[in-house]
Amino acid sequence: MYISGQWREAISGKRFEVTNPATSEVIDTVADGGEADTLAAIHAADAAAAGWAGRTAFERSEILHKAYDLMVQRKEHLARTMTMEQGKPLRAARIEVQYAADFLRWFAEEAKRVSGQVLPAPRQDQRFLVLRQPVGVVGAITPWNYPVSMLTRKMGPALAAGCTVVLKPAEATPLCAIETYKVLIDAGVPPGVINLVTAADPQPVGRLLVEDPRVRKLTFTGSTAVGRRLAAGAGQHMKRISLELGGHAPFIVFKDADPVHAAKGAAAVKFLNAGQACISPNRMFVHQDAHAPFTDELVSRVIRLRAGNGLADGIGVGPLIDERALAKVDAQVKDALSKGAQLLCGGHRMMDNGLDAGTFYSPTVLSGVTTDMLIYREETFGPIAAVVTYDDDDDVIGMANDTNYGLAAYVYTNNTAQAMRAFEALKFGIVGINDINPTAAAAPFGGVKDSGLGREGGSQGIDEYLDVKLGGFAI
Ligand code: ADP
């Protein structure tokens, strides 16, 4: 753990194991923090808050620029750590590290764009000034699926705004958090400004971040169930909160779309990170005329994906994060098959060629998915492409919106009017139109409905870390 400018063991002396999901080997142990460690971290962040907020925006920007450079220099090391700890193929890990670094650079620039306002006042002897000030200590809780970029997407804007941070990474991926912290520390972030509490049990740490009055804002990426609990606590303690939660992305292939092009996109985006992404397409709505060419192309690509240890060359899909994730995916597939879905490829845990040591599930395509199946309703978080056939373009937007989630949606069409209508009508925070990667540091990322609150990245991302203060001056 890193508290008050020092790397420390837990006060209890306990440590917990970190395993490689491709091999089940223990790769390291890390400090197992609890309440006392969290309190020390909050204390440190609180003590450092005024000093950090008092630095000029230019000083904070310089440090973030330096962090960008260091992260890019250490890309290979960070990527290898990520592949060993989280499982994604090395190529994908390198792309994530660059994406993570991009947030540092973006918010290094945004730090210098935080300005206030002078407003017209109703009285002649009055002046109105608006300041935007850092909210103070930020409690951040991050997930394992993007274990470097989810940190910089929160810490970049928090640091740029002048906030201090206590961060608890996911218990599966503390090593990525430690390496990310080393980047920020080496870039010159002062002691106390960023604090890291690693813990096997998230609950005591999470509870203190919610309850301690010195923490003024919570930022969380993870499941909707945990997000809901944190939001309820934040409401009780009147804290600001931003939440990036689950998704259930529709992927619509309209009648007029090029089905082969759409299938190439689907194959590329669905199996990224073995489907363990909140913006992963979860329901592929394909017009009946496009169904055969779409599924033929999709299956031909999916069966060529090689699963394995992400450190090896040519691996397209890594393991799932743990046995629980595997069981959930398998249950969804079995449920769909029992209710009449067709298995076009995959559909089982992978046990050959040494894969039984890890938690691998074969890349799978199901067709004939219907509304009564679990996979139609639940987020999958695994390498399963679930194809739903529809027959009327007028109905499909309603089908896509028929979910409590509202993060990402994808649309394939060659008709600009159709594209615009779908873009406007889809109740999702992010819509990719013939585009499978509608994300970047410069773009606002976030959802509506059960997918969360607030936006990360873009010009909006820093607002989550700033309070607005009005000054009325009688002169
Ligand atoms: P997943 O099920 O995908 O692992 P979680 O929402 O459980 O998603 O995990 C996301 C993050 O939330 C992780 O850092 C995890 O440790 C943390 N977390 C899980 N449960 C709690 C909790 N009760 N309080 C605070 N944080 C939690």
Side-chain angles (χ1 to χ4, degrees):
M1 292 185 295
Y2 185 74
I3 298 173
S4 200
Q6 287 183 336
W7 290 102
R8 294 196 193 168
E9 289 300 316
I11 291 166
S12 68
K14 284 200 251 172
R15 295 180 74 82
F16 68 100
E17 293 179 343
V18 184
T19 54
N20 180 340
T23 61
S24 301
E25 283 161 358
V26 174
I27 49 176
D28 211 341
T29 64
V30 298
D32 187 2
E35 288 194 2
D37 307 287
T38 310
L39 281 173
I42 294 172
H43 179 78
D46 188 46
W52 183 243
R55 298 264 189 135
T56 68
F58 298 94
E59 289 174 291
R60 293 197 298 265
S61 172
E62 288 261 306
I63 291 174
L64 286 169
H65 271 301
K66 184 98 188 290
Y68 171 84
D69 291 340
L70 283 176
M71 188 167 268
V72 173
Q73 276 170 27
R74 297 181 193 172
K75 186 185 285 182
E76 196 58 25
H77 173 66
L78 278 155
R80 295 186 87 81
T81 304
M82 195 187 312
T83 295
M84 285 195 285
E85 186 181 42
Q86 193 268 345
K88 73 184 62 175
L90 193 51
R91 216 180 125 253
R94 290 186 188 118
I95 291 170
E96 181 184 336
V97 176
Q98 183 60 51
Y99 180 57
D102 287 346
F103 286 105
L104 297 173
R105 184 165 60 177
W106 174 259
F107 286 109
E109 295 299 329
E110 289 298 282
K112 296 176 285 183
R113 316 268 181 261
V114 176
S115 52
Q117 284 175 307
V118 180
L119 296 175
R123 297 197 323 264
Q124 213 169 31
D125 70 340
Q126 190 180 36
R127 301 291 180 271
F128 276 161
L129 245 72
V130 176
L131 298 183
R132 288 160 82 215
Q133 295 182 308
V135 298
V137 177
V138 171
I141 299 178
T142 52
W144 48 263
N145 61 340
Y146 288 89
V148 176
S149 58
M150 293 304 98
L151 273 69
T152 57
R153 198 155 83 172
K154 299 180 186 308
M155 297 175 82
L159 293 175
C163 296
T164 59
V165 178
V166 176
L167 184 134
K168 191 208 76 64
E171 46 278 26
T173 53
L175 301 178
C176 280
I178 289 169
E179 295 307 314
T180 302
Y181 262 67
K182 286 181 187 165
V183 166
L184 289 162
I185 295 161
D186 292 348
V189 176
V193 173
I194 53 171
N195 303 276
L196 177 69
V197 180
T198 48
D201 178 2
Q203 292 208 22
V205 185
R207 192 178 54 73
L208 277 175
L209 294 179
V210 169
E211 290 178 2
D212 193 299
R214 292 169 293 185
V215 177
R216 294 313 316 150
K217 188 216 155 75
L218 295 172
T219 172
F220 171 76
T221 299
S223 62
T224 296
V226 174
R228 219 185 278 287
R229 276 211 292 281
L230 294 174
Q236 199 133 35
H237 296 273
M238 216 49 77
K239 292 187 181 180
R240 294 187 59 176
I241 189 160
S242 39
L243 301 165
E244 300 292 349
L245 308 176
H248 195 39
F251 185 103
I252 303 173
V253 182
F254 279 108
K255 185 176 178 180
D256 67 71
D258 172 350
V260 172
H261 181 59
K264 287 177 187 167
V269 67
K270 175 67 234 184
F271 300 93
L272 281 178
N273 210 10
Q276 301 171 113
C278 44
I279 61 169
S280 190
N282 231 45
R283 297 164 296 152
M284 299 192 178
F285 294 103
V286 180
H287 190 274
Q288 61 187 11
D289 294 357
H291 181 264
F294 177 85
T295 50
D296 286 353
E297 180 67 25
L298 180 60
V299 170
S300 83
R301 286 174 176 263
V302 172
I303 55 180
R304 277 182 274 149
L305 282 171
R306 269 186 55 213
N309 186 328
L311 290 178
D313 283 341
I315 294 301
V317 192
L320 295 180
I321 192 69
D322 56 23
E323 293 284 342
R324 196 166 58 104
L326 229 151
K328 181 179 179 195
V329 167
D330 197 46
Q332 283 195 2
V333 171
K334 289 206 168 98
D335 169 79
L337 294 177
S338 76
K339 292 173 180 162
Q342 293 96 52
L343 183 65
L344 302 187
C345 62
H348 56 88
R349 183 174 187 164
M350 301 179 91
M351 301 299 277
D352 297 338
N353 305 320
L355 297 186
D356 56 331
T359 38
F360 291 90
Y361 199 87
S362 56
T364 299
V365 180
L366 295 173
S367 78
V369 168
T370 50
T371 53
D372 55 331
M373 298 174 186
L374 284 177
I375 201 161
Y376 193 92
R377 298 281 166 209
E378 282 184 0
E379 186 177 34
T380 302
F381 240 61
I384 319 297
V387 179
V388 182
T389 311
Y390 74 91
D391 54 18
D392 189 343
D393 279 352
D394 290 341
D395 298 338
V396 73
I397 299 291
M399 295 163 79
N401 284 338
D402 180 23
T403 169
N404 292 334
Y405 291 111
L407 189 55
Y410 304 85
V411 170
Y412 273 75
T413 176
N414 283 326
N415 175 335
T416 41
Q418 179 92 283
M420 184 56 77
R421 280 196 300 272
F423 177 45
E424 289 180 356
L426 284 165
K427 294 186 175 126
F428 293 83
I430 302 165
V431 183
I433 314 282
N434 299 322
D435 184 11
I436 52 166
N437 189 19
T439 58
F445 185 105
V448 297
K449 296 159 69 182
D450 280 358
S451 291
L453 297 170
R455 292 293 177 270
E456 293 191 320
S459 57
Q460 294 84 350
I462 200 164
D463 291 341
E464 308 284 344
Y465 299 90
L466 293 166
D467 282 329
V468 170
K469 181 186 279 179
L470 171 69
F473 293 75
I475 57 169

